[in-house]
Amino acid sequence: MRRDTFLRSLAALAAAGALPLSARAAANLKMMIPANPGGGWDTTGRALGKALQEAGVASSVSYDNKGGAAGAIGLAQFVNSNKGNGDALMIMGAVMLGGIITGKPPVNVTQATPLARLLSEPQLFVLPANSPLKTMKDVVEQMKKDPGSVKWGGGSRGSTEHIAVAMLAREVGVDPTKINYVAFRGGGEAVAAILGGNVTVGASALTEFGEYIKGGKMTPIATTSEQRLKGVNAPTLKEQGYNVVISNWRGVYGAPGISAEQRKALIDMITKATQAPAWTQAVQTNGWTPALLTGDAFGQFVDNEFASLRAVMVKAGMV
């Protein structure tokens, strides 16, 4: 084969995504983060971007934060502007499914392409350090007396933390529709509200609260996990007598209309990134549990989660 013919063939294969990662140039990726800076999706997206570059599969990663409506605003922009784009990624998770169930937006995650689940993490409830309440029992007792007097601050309506609060209310005999839940567009806004005393209890993941707990500005009072979180002095809700166990998870989607070859290339890149030291460090720092699941298996997981979350939310009076 002549050299120029060979090079043209090589270029065609690379463009189609048919070459192994080692034979293709590193990609210039665009990552949609459908939340404001400072929260769990933002932290996850930027950690993944760093790992993609460290693994040598991306030469650059640009980020677009577009918060609101449990990710539906960013999802709509991602779906409408990236059809067939094999260099586009979007961070998402259980929060987006809950938001779709409650908000019924015109765009749905099923319009994008499932690539990989990355991690799971339980929710953590915290009080500002100067709160007159000291334990989850104190919070529950006040909620029983006057549900509206306890302001719960967390992510979008329908988020994992919102569901956890509704489950807790139902568990202790409080009408879930009476809870006073304040939704924030990003983790930074929620943290500011907690530290400023504008909400009674904060609910999110260790990602958002870790540094404030270590700095003595927040007091952890419960986690929604089966076992206590490593390095956090907080009992589970279950061991406190409240049968509430729920975990958040986060994953990555590709653009609508990408080819099977483009999808495989992106999955291979993400898989390689999760083996990079930068990703391992992010997992340890943020207290994440690795939960890699790719391709069709991840797509089926999302379908099952949607049905499961909807059932829980109906039971808790949220929809």
Side-chain angles (χ1 to χ4, degrees):
M1 181 184 294
R2 289 178 51 186
R3 184 174 181 274
D4 58 344
T5 304
F6 171 75
L7 291 175
R8 283 197 300 271
S9 299
L10 193 66
L13 286 169
L19 289 175
L21 289 176
S22 59
R24 274 185 278 133
N28 295 305
L29 299 177
K30 298 192 307 177
M31 188 177 299
M32 166 59 70
I33 301 175
N36 289 350
W41 282 355
D42 188 57
T43 303
T44 302
R46 292 174 191 275
L48 179 63
K50 183 178 179 180
L52 285 162
Q53 292 177 85
E54 187 180 88
V57 295
S59 58
S60 68
V61 181
S62 60
Y63 307 94
D64 186 6
N65 286 84
K66 193 70 65 177
I73 294 174
L75 171 63
Q77 179 176 310
F78 181 76
V79 166
N80 293 329
S81 62
N82 286 292
K83 187 173 182 180
N85 185 353
D87 292 327
L89 299 173
M90 180 188 70
I91 296 295
M92 54 78 68
V95 171
M96 184 174 283
L97 302 190
I100 289 171
I101 292 168
T102 57
K104 301 180 178 62
V107 65
N108 198 300
V109 72
T110 55
Q111 294 170 250
T113 305
L115 299 176
R117 184 185 66 192
L118 296 171
L119 58 92
S120 67
E121 64 179 356
Q123 299 302 297
L124 188 65
F125 290 100
V126 299
L127 296 168
N130 60 357
S131 172
L133 306 174
K134 302 302 177 187
T135 66
M136 181 56 81
K137 183 179 179 182
D138 294 341
V139 173
V140 167
E141 290 305 313
Q142 182 167 323
M143 182 171 64
K144 285 181 176 179
K145 292 176 187 174
D146 181 4
S149 69
V150 178
K151 294 173 71 175
W152 304 84
S156 305
R157 298 190 67 81
S159 64
T160 313
E161 50 264 46
H162 187 192
I163 296 170
V165 174
M167 291 171 70
L168 177 62
R170 188 174 184 277
E171 175 74 9
V172 301
V174 173
D175 183 349
T177 64
K178 298 289 198 301
I179 61 173
N180 186 355
Y181 185 82
V182 183
F184 294 97
R185 290 162 63 97
E189 295 177 15
V191 165
I194 296 162
L195 296 179
N198 296 318
V199 296
T200 312
V201 191
S204 192
L206 183 59
T207 308
E208 282 89 345
F209 296 155
E211 66 177 287
Y212 303 99
I213 292 171
K214 289 178 182 175
K217 295 181 179 180
M218 293 182 183
T219 304
I221 57 171
T223 176
T224 64
S225 53
E226 285 281 2
Q227 285 97 29
R228 292 192 180 204
L229 295 178
K230 185 178 179 181
V232 180
N233 184 26
T236 67
L237 285 170
K238 201 168 183 179
E239 71 181 272
Q240 296 182 71
Y242 312 116
N243 188 26
V244 176
V245 178
I246 187 170
S247 284
N248 189 16
W249 55 267
R250 299 195 191 108
V252 193
Y253 266 60
I258 59 174
S259 67
E261 290 79 12
Q262 288 174 312
R263 185 189 191 198
K264 183 180 184 305
L266 287 172
I267 291 171
D268 288 346
M269 291 165 68
I270 293 165
T271 301
K272 195 166 184 179
T274 62
Q275 298 164 358
W279 182 255
T280 301
Q281 182 59 54
V283 167
Q284 292 175 349
T285 300
N286 294 295
W288 296 335
T289 300
L292 186 65
L293 184 69
T294 63
D296 290 341
F298 173 51
Q300 185 60 57
F301 167 82
V302 173
D303 290 344
N304 293 342
E305 275 286 285
F306 190 91
S308 177
L309 283 174
R310 192 179 192 288
V312 169
M313 293 166 77
V314 167
K315 193 174 181 181
M318 296 175 66
V319 290

